[in-house]
Amino acid sequence: MTGIRTSPHAAGRATAEGRKRVRRIRPDRQLPWSYRFVATLLRLVMQPLTRRDWRGAEHLPRSGGFVVSPNHLSYADPIAFAHFLYDNGRPPFFLAKDSVFHIPVLGRMLTHAEQIPVHRRTSQATEAFRSAVDAVHQGKCVPIFPEGTLTRDPHLWPMTGKTGAARVALTTGCPLVPVAQWGPQELLAPYAHRPHLLPRKTMHVWAGPPVDLADLQGRPLTREVLAEATDRLLDAITALLEQIRGEQAPAERFDTRVAGLSGTGDPRRAATSRRRRHLLRARGPRS
């Protein structure tokens, strides 16, 4: 994974795009002070460290709540993605793991910034859904990563998704905007903790038109309806990513269940643990 780089075709376009001045739209001044503080700090970091190939901002609704769904490549891509949204006048309100909210200082700032905690594998997960629905009704931009975690596809294409983004969009009737990202994985490789700042990396963030869900609106939210909406969303993200990379995605999306991988965590570390357990069993009990 760490050896994957932007294609020369995409890199050439990005160089030209990077020379263009991006017009910044001032976000709502009513944002919580902690939100403005963190956003300003991250902008000061991202501006000199990265180039920006941003496209499709015209597809972000100028008013009203909506769900925006990007692919997930790296721990760095929420920052690149948030930079795109914030500078285009739609500051995001993220769903974040509840454990992050317990980190001293950071957790308090996230709470004050009105970010939304997600309680994984608990009965409180429905509260995260309700919070996301409430945020949309309040007119907020709510990012939801449809894959639910970093993609496990060996070539970093979008993998099979979860239905959360589709469920919120169909429940509220709000726009569901697909976004493709490429470049954050060069700044910080998947599951890595040390960034590679030089040479300067280009953050490709392209938004597409809202996914057409008109024929699914008003229908019971069955497994089939949610799966269809999620497939349309992932198809739209993949099509955008194909344009950025100048490559064609695999005919079938990577499925962790078929590959025998767990839903979360670093698959390489899990594979190492499985091999270690296998070797210990093969050696038998120590005398």
Side-chain angles (χ1 to χ4, degrees):
M1 286 185 183
T2 56
I4 294 176
R5 293 291 182 267
T6 303
S7 69
H9 180 58
R13 289 198 308 267
T15 302
E17 286 290 322
R19 296 193 186 103
K20 297 180 181 179
R21 184 181 297 275
V22 177
R23 176 175 173 267
R24 186 181 173 214
I25 301 172
R26 190 175 185 87
D28 188 349
R29 295 188 181 187
Q30 300 304 314
L31 287 172
W33 69 267
S34 56
Y35 195 124
R36 298 196 305 272
F37 173 78
V38 172
T40 300
L41 184 63
L42 291 177
R43 287 191 79 256
L44 290 174
V45 172
M46 294 296 286
Q47 289 281 21
L49 290 181
T50 63
R51 296 185 178 91
R52 289 159 297 285
D53 174 24
W54 291 353
R55 308 189 191 187
E58 67 274 11
H59 299 303
L60 302 176
R62 292 296 90 197
S63 62
F66 67 103
V67 174
V68 58
S69 290
N71 58 318
H72 202 1
L73 303 159
S74 159
Y75 292 144
D77 65 42
I79 299 174
F81 176 58
H83 190 191
F84 168 75
L85 293 170
Y86 187 85
D87 274 26
N88 281 291
R90 293 312 310 256
F93 291 84
F94 281 94
L95 295 155
K97 289 188 292 187
D98 64 315
S99 57
V100 178
F101 287 78
H102 299 301
I103 299 174
V105 182
L106 175 61
R108 181 171 294 183
M109 293 190 71
L110 288 173
T111 299
H112 288 167
E114 301 178 6
Q115 304 305 297
I116 307 167
V118 174
H119 304 270
R120 283 185 173 179
R121 298 190 180 93
T122 73
S123 59
Q124 295 180 25
T126 56
E127 292 301 318
F129 166 73
R130 291 172 186 165
S131 296
V133 168
D134 289 344
V136 169
H137 285 317
Q138 293 165 16
K140 294 178 178 178
C141 165
V142 181
I144 300 178
F145 291 90
E147 297 162 280
T149 187
L150 299 184
T151 181
R152 310 301 182 79
D153 182 275
H155 302 290
L156 302 184
W157 292 102
M159 62 179 183
T160 54
K162 301 185 183 302
T163 61
R167 184 182 293 273
V168 174
L170 288 171
T171 298
T172 61
C174 75
L176 177 59
V177 178
V179 171
Q181 305 186 83
W182 190 248
Q185 80 286 353
E186 296 182 355
L187 182 65
L188 185 67
Y191 297 103
H193 298 283
R194 292 185 179 180
H196 297 279
L197 303 179
L198 296 174
R200 199 176 179 200
K201 308 301 188 295
T202 299
M203 303 294 105
H204 305 269
V205 185
W206 292 18
V211 178
D212 185 3
L213 302 177
D215 60 315
L216 302 179
Q217 291 288 353
R219 293 171 57 180
L221 297 184
T222 62
R223 182 180 301 177
E224 292 74 21
V225 166
L226 292 171
E228 174 62 25
T230 302
D231 281 341
R232 293 182 193 181
L233 170 60
L234 288 165
D235 285 345
I237 295 171
T238 302
L240 288 168
L241 190 57
E242 286 179 328
Q243 294 180 58
I244 295 173
R245 294 175 58 170
E247 304 173 47
Q248 188 170 359
E252 293 186 11
R253 276 189 278 272
F254 185 84
D255 190 329
T256 55
R257 292 168 299 183
V258 173
L261 297 176
S262 63
T264 58
D266 185 346
R268 294 168 300 180
R269 185 177 299 174
T272 300
S273 298
R274 285 196 299 270
R275 286 195 297 269
R276 192 171 297 159
R277 288 195 299 269
H278 178 73
L279 287 173
L280 289 173
R281 285 196 298 268
R283 289 174 184 170
R286 292 182 180 180
S287 56

